[in-house]
Amino acid sequence: MNTSIEIKQLAIGYGNTAGRAKGAILPPITATVKSGELLALVGRNGIGKSTFLRTLAGQQASIDGMILIQDKPLFAYTRTELSRLVSFVSTDIVRIPHLKVFDLVAMGRFPYTSWIGKLKVNDKMLVYDALEMVGLRQLSWRNIDTLSDGERQRTLIARALVQHTPIMILDEPTAYLDIIHKYEIMNLLRQIAHRENKTVLFSTHDLNIALNVVDKMWIMTDTEILEGGPEDLVVSAAFEKMLGRNNLSFDRLSGEFELNHRLIKDIAVKSRLDIRWLRHALERLNYKIIQNPSSVPKDTPVLSYESNKGVLRFQYTFKKEEQQFSTIYELCNYLRSIPD
């Protein structure tokens, strides 16, 4: 695969910012992305992801360093040339009264139309195809200001699709979508990258989804950008560097960030069943689990967990008290009622 974007010692930022030379908000960035790759940029809010993407798309000037697009410096392209190479979807919310969905998507054809912006038959077909891909063809003649945030976001993605560029850059493309449409858009972006050999680069906070679909990730921290395949970054503990000092941790098995609970109360759990979600609930209530102990320490409550013909049963025993429950929810409500 050919290198599509190469970044060399890039400094990004605004004006003169105290604490960084020349107003840069991050240390110099060096990274690459290849044609046919789906790449996710992740990092904390406010760290500079949007600024970075706008700079890569030519929407904002860099402070120092070099961006090469297909082996040519970004600054060497004219605006028209760049518009045929890079499409950009921002987080800006479009609210233009009386503007139709079709017309907004059709704006993506501006690099290829005449100066009056007249659409040819092929342009119109591409608009309809893009609307079909994002699931909005049936809404093509709706006004933009009548759409939900998620529908509006999918419209902007369709506009980028019809721009027909080898590089697509999207800032939080799944920000306003429900879980089903998040996966659908992520899968669509993967298909675009792989089937059409495009470079698709997007920022996201949906880390668990991104880990399942992307080819490469950039992790933005205060001091560097870490790049690599998602699995390599997981096993090398790269995601932990995003956290800083807080009460979160990264579970390398599940690929998710988790709240660190204060496990200050013991409970013995006796069961031959999978207790994964029972453990999840008990740790949320600050219980430390002693699983299948050979002997139960004094003053430790005991929870038995079994299934009889598909019906779950929980029996809680502490000293001379016994309680039975049929759901984890009922068990948790009871445990929360116990004074510390």
Side-chain angles (χ1 to χ4, degrees), residues 193-254:
H194 293 176
R195 293 180 183 178
E196 301 184 29
N197 198 38
K198 291 180 183 287
T199 297
V200 181
L201 166 60
F202 67 97
S203 61
T204 184
H205 290 290
D206 295 312
L207 179 61
N208 57 330
I209 302 178
L211 283 170
N212 285 315
V213 299
V214 302
D215 304 300
K216 190 175 185 179
M217 299 185 86
W218 289 340
I219 300 177
M220 183 176 282
T221 73
D222 291 321
T223 58
E224 60 185 330
I225 278 192
L226 305 169
E227 66 173 339
E231 296 80 11
D232 294 318
L233 293 173
V234 169
V235 299
S236 66
F239 287 99
E240 283 85 335
K241 296 183 180 181
M242 287 175 55
L243 298 176
R245 295 181 179 180
N246 52 48
N247 59 347
L248 289 175
S249 60
F250 181 75
D251 188 329
R252 298 184 197 174
L253 294 178
S254 67

Side-chain angles (χ1 to χ4, degrees), residues 68-80:
L68 298 176
I69 304 292
Q70 296 184 348
D71 298 322
K72 182 177 176 179
L74 178 65
F75 65 79
Y77 289 103
T78 66
R79 297 306 303 177
T80 300

Side-chain angles (χ1 to χ4, degrees), residues 99-110 126-128 130-131 134 136 144 154-163:
L99 179 66
K100 305 295 185 184
V101 170
F102 180 93
D103 295 329
L104 177 57
V105 175
M107 290 178 182
R109 296 302 299 163
F110 78 91
L126 289 173
V127 172
Y128 282 122
L131 286 168
V134 299
L136 289 179
I144 286 294
R154 284 187 281 155
T155 302
L156 296 177
I157 293 172
R159 184 179 66 179
L161 289 173
V162 302
Q163 200 170 330

Side-chain angles (χ1 to χ4, degrees), residues 127-338:
V127 172
Y128 282 122
D129 288 345
L131 286 168
E132 186 73 34
M133 291 177 75
V134 299
L136 289 179
R137 181 157 182 164
Q138 73 280 10
L139 302 181
S140 60
W141 298 108
R142 282 266 299 273
N143 288 339
I144 286 294
D145 56 355
T146 68
L147 300 182
S148 69
D149 288 338
E151 290 168 340
R152 194 176 294 107
Q153 185 73 357
R154 284 187 281 155
T155 302
L156 296 177
I157 293 172
R159 184 179 66 179
L161 289 173
V162 302
Q163 200 170 330
H164 200 59
T165 57
I167 299 171
M168 291 179 62
I169 298 177
L170 307 97
D171 194 3
E172 293 282 352
T174 61
Y176 302 107
L177 305 181
D178 58 50
I179 188 65
I180 294 174
H181 284 110
K182 284 178 188 287
Y183 274 99
E184 287 180 350
I185 290 298
M186 289 282 197
N187 188 53
L188 172 62
L189 296 178
R190 178 171 62 176
Q191 290 177 2
I192 292 168
H194 293 176
R195 293 180 183 178
E196 301 184 29
N197 198 38
K198 291 180 183 287
T199 297
V200 181
L201 166 60
F202 67 97
S203 61
T204 184
H205 290 290
D206 295 312
L207 179 61
N208 57 330
I209 302 178
L211 283 170
N212 285 315
V213 299
V214 302
D215 304 300
K216 190 175 185 179
M217 299 185 86
W218 289 340
I219 300 177
M220 183 176 282
T221 73
D222 291 321
T223 58
E224 60 185 330
I225 278 192
L226 305 169
E227 66 173 339
E231 296 80 11
D232 294 318
L233 293 173
V234 169
V235 299
S236 66
F239 287 99
E240 283 85 335
K241 296 183 180 181
M242 287 175 55
L243 298 176
R245 295 181 179 180
N246 52 48
N247 59 347
L248 289 175
S249 60
F250 181 75
D251 188 329
R252 298 184 197 174
L253 294 178
S254 67
E256 295 182 354
F257 289 100
E258 297 181 347
L259 187 66
N260 293 325
H261 299 288
R262 295 175 60 245
L263 306 182
I264 57 177
K265 298 176 285 188
D266 289 339
I267 187 168
V269 176
K270 296 182 177 180
S271 178
R272 295 181 179 180
L273 304 177
D274 183 355
I275 69 163
R276 183 181 317 163
W277 289 105
L278 177 60
R279 179 186 299 276
H280 184 275
L282 291 174
E283 289 183 351
R284 178 161 46 85
L285 298 180
N286 298 322
Y287 279 94
K288 179 182 178 181
I289 295 175
I290 306 170
Q291 189 172 356
N292 296 321
S294 55
S295 62
V296 178
K298 185 180 179 181
D299 295 331
T300 300
V302 177
L303 181 63
S304 299
Y305 172 39
E306 62 184 10
S307 175
N308 184 11
K309 296 181 179 180
V311 177
L312 298 178
R313 186 169 73 91
F314 304 89
Q315 180 169 306
Y316 175 90
T317 305
F318 184 54
K319 296 181 180 179
K320 296 182 179 181
E321 177 185 3
E322 282 190 3
Q323 298 286 338
Q324 292 190 358
F325 310 96
S326 59
T327 67
I328 297 176
Y329 173 74
E330 293 172 349
L331 168 65
C332 289
N333 280 345
Y334 175 76
L335 293 177
R336 277 199 298 268
S337 70
I338 300 174

Side-chain angles (χ1 to χ4, degrees), residues 1-5 33-37 70 166 193 197-199:
M1 290 186 293
N2 296 325
T3 298
S4 179
I5 302 175
V33 57
K34 298 181 180 297
S35 300
E37 280 189 330
Q70 296 184 348
N197 198 38
K198 291 180 183 287
T199 297

